Amino acid sequence: MRLLHTSDWHLGRSFHRVGLLGAQAAFLDRLVATVHEHRVDAVLVAGDVYDRAVPPLPAVELFDTALHRLAEAGVPTVMISGNHDSARRLGVGAGLIERAGIHLRTDPAGIGTPVVLGDDHGDVALYGLPYLEPALVREQLGAEKAGHEAVLGAAMDRVRADLAARPAGTRSVVLAHAFVAGGAPSDSERDITVGGVAAVPVGVFDGVDYVALGHLHGSQTLTPRVRYSGSPLAYSFSEADHRKTMWLIELGPGGPDGAVVTAERLDCPVPRPLARIRGRLDDLLDDPALTPHEQAWVEATLTDPVRPAEPMARLTGRFPHTLNLVFDPDRTGDDPAASYAQRLRDRTDQQIAEDFVAHVRGGAALDGAERTVLHGAFDDVRVDTAEREVGR
Ligand SMILES: [Mn+2]
């Protein structure tokens, strides 16, 4: 059985000031063309279909068109909601479009009910696990502990229980939207770590022939059976070195150690390459080595000790698609002038809040109890926001 695995479309997202709807439409064209060209048996979309809970209308229209084209192609499609999607909104009409072969799984209640497809080697059960927000689904799933590992573990127990009741030799595929240990993040995923350890061990998926993951935006192979497809487009400059692809997975006949899995990377269309360039402004304007980047979307880091006049106007003279300007002046020693944004970079909300508390009371750090209170406050805000979203 041939599966096409993709995720993290983030329909409606823009890149700095540039709208990406055209690029997202071009990707969907490629997806549909690939389905025909490679005679794909099922399409797997592992979450973050949209960029926001309430996506802009053109993004909804693009999604609607994609659904119609997949249904017309007659290719069964399994989709789950990600942490950017509103599961409730995305799931509207799921029961109806199921009849057209589009299986939209947004409700944790359906985790143990797979889409069953078949080929010459027998049945394949495909389980869609929507993004599971631990505080919201822990009780429903009967997870013994809090946190991502416990709820995903409980969800996988349901999958394995269902699978065990099926005819021997039934092959299995799981779609999940999660941060699995060993994966490398970029700057365009929404953090899911507040409230504890986000990364779940890959062993949580044991017993399944293939796991189609979403959430991390770089294509990655955690094991031959557990992969991230990554996003079809770069959504941050930290992805400048990514090759954006889909996985074409061939699921062979079952065996004692699981079905044979082979994988091929298929490229997504690149609307415009990305380049991160760094140096003094005059050098960036002159350096012949930068010629290949002149038509790229550029992020320029200027290292001039004194900020040059009109840097954007001058840079766009050579690099008309410059989208982001960063100032990182060459200075020596400990620099009190380092920007606030630079000091906050790579820090979690919890760290920033702890430093703030210490700062306003003369340097006294939080003790354990205080840290717990702060931690709890972040959790509460997060759960409130999520509950408001699902309308509870
Ligand atoms: Mn995502």
Side-chain angles (χ1 to χ4, degrees), residues 122-135:
D123 283 353
V124 177
L126 300 102
Y127 299 86
L129 278 51
Y131 170 66
L132 302 170
E133 179 65 39

Side-chain angles (χ1 to χ4, degrees), residues 8 10 13 47-48 83-84 177 188-190 214-217:
D8 295 270
H10 289 270
R13 187 168 183 139
D48 284 355
N83 60 316
H84 279 249
H177 194 86
S188 61
E189 297 110 11
R190 181 181 293 162
H215 182 55
L216 298 182
H217 289 181

Side-chain angles (χ1 to χ4, degrees), residues 131-201:
Y131 170 66
L132 302 170
E133 179 65 39
L136 291 181
V137 300
R138 179 184 167 182
E139 211 173 306
Q140 183 184 357
L141 293 178
E144 283 174 15
K145 289 191 284 185
H148 290 278
E149 184 178 349
V151 294
L152 211 48
M156 284 304 301
D157 286 344
R158 292 189 176 193
V159 168
R160 282 183 286 256
D162 178 82
L163 197 54
R166 290 185 180 275
T170 300
R171 289 159 293 159
S172 55
V173 172
V174 161
L175 288 81
H177 194 86
F179 187 178
V180 180
S186 64
D187 287 345
S188 61
E189 297 110 11
R190 181 181 293 162
D191 188 25
I192 58 170
T193 59
V194 176
V197 181
V200 302

Side-chain angles (χ1 to χ4, degrees), residues 208-360:
V208 170
D209 290 308
Y210 185 70
V211 181
L213 292 174
H215 182 55
L216 298 182
H217 289 181
S219 175
Q220 337 198 10
T221 300
L222 301 182
T223 78
R225 298 185 185 282
V226 183
R227 297 167 192 265
Y228 282 101
S229 62
S231 55
L233 295 163
Y235 291 120
S236 68
F237 275 105
S238 72
E239 296 156 69
D241 297 332
H242 287 186
R243 178 182 155 210
K244 296 300 188 183
T245 51
M246 301 175 269
W247 286 116
L248 184 66
I249 301 294
E250 183 83 48
L251 198 61
D257 303 317
V260 179
V261 170
T262 55
E264 184 185 346
R265 277 180 87 177
L266 303 180
D267 285 285
C268 298
V270 179
R272 192 179 283 286
L274 305 190
R276 287 175 129 171
I277 61 177
R278 179 184 176 92
R280 301 197 175 194
L281 180 57
D282 287 338
D283 295 336
L284 297 183
L285 295 177
D286 287 342
D287 187 351
L290 298 180
T291 303
H293 301 314
E294 285 176 352
Q295 293 307 314
W297 278 323
V298 166
E299 177 181 79
T301 301
L302 299 183
T303 60
D304 302 73
V306 176
R307 192 178 290 211
E310 299 188 73
M312 196 57 155
R314 294 173 64 198
L315 263 175
T316 49
R318 182 177 186 193
F319 306 98
H321 306 287
T322 302
L323 296 182
N324 198 27
L325 205 48
V326 179
F327 295 97
D328 184 18
D330 280 333
R331 294 195 182 104
T332 49
D334 197 20
D335 180 12
S339 79
Y340 188 61
Q342 275 172 333
R343 280 184 281 139
L344 295 188
R345 193 173 295 162
D346 299 328
R347 322 206 56 208
T348 64
D349 291 345
Q350 173 95 13
Q351 285 173 322
I352 292 166
E354 286 186 19
D355 285 358
F356 173 75
V357 174
H359 173 76
V360 296

